[in-house]
Amino acid sequence: MIAEPTYQYFNKETSRESNKVSGGILYSKANYQSIELPVGVRHYFYINDKSTIFTNLSFITDFTGNSTIVFTRADGSILNDPFKISSGGNF
């Protein structure tokens, strides 16, 4: 049996020129935090006395925090509702 919890964090702000928004500049801010919890089994293949390889089969559950992506105009007004980042399970 294996379990390999992982903490992930990403935070980035960017800006770019755009003629599609008032003010001509579109700002974006991404904030992502999660804890991944893979749980599964590992099987070893013995090649010889000194060498082995293994394979994992895991189900991964991801718990995200308050993760969002927000787009704003040059005047600071929000372009649209913040995108909520959600997660789910995965094999």
Side-chain angles (χ1 to χ4, degrees), residues 42-48 50-56:
R42 176 175 288 165
H43 181 73
Y44 286 92
F45 297 94
Y46 297 94
I47 298 171
N48 57 38
K50 296 182 180 180
S51 300
T52 61
I53 60 173
F54 65 87
T55 183
N56 292 340

Side-chain angles (χ1 to χ4, degrees), residues 14-21 23-27:
T14 62
S15 64
R16 69 179 177 108
E17 292 183 13
S18 175
N19 59 2
K20 297 181 180 181
V21 296
I25 299 177
L26 180 64
Y27 295 95

Side-chain angles (χ1 to χ4, degrees), residues 2-91:
I2 57 171
E4 299 178 22
T6 306
Y7 174 73
Q8 300 181 61
Y9 174 77
F10 178 78
N11 191 12
K12 176 101 180 196
E13 292 184 41
T14 62
S15 64
R16 69 179 177 108
E17 292 183 13
S18 175
N19 59 2
K20 297 181 180 181
V21 296
S22 62
I25 299 177
L26 180 64
Y27 295 95
S28 60
K29 181 177 181 181
N31 182 8
Y32 177 78
Q33 297 178 33
S34 77
I35 296 174
E36 268 187 1
L37 183 58
V39 177
V41 294
R42 176 175 288 165
H43 181 73
Y44 286 92
F45 297 94
Y46 297 94
I47 298 171
N48 57 38
D49 291 340
K50 296 182 180 180
S51 300
T52 61
I53 60 173
F54 65 87
T55 183
N56 292 340
L57 176 64
S58 300
F59 180 78
I60 302 170
T61 303
D62 190 33
F63 303 99
T64 57
N66 189 17
S67 300
T68 58
I69 301 173
V70 179
F71 295 99
T72 57
R73 299 177 186 93
D75 64 0
S77 62
I78 296 175
L79 182 63
N80 55 5
D81 290 335
F83 293 107
K84 290 281 189 182
I85 300 171
S86 60
S87 63
N90 189 359
F91 275 101

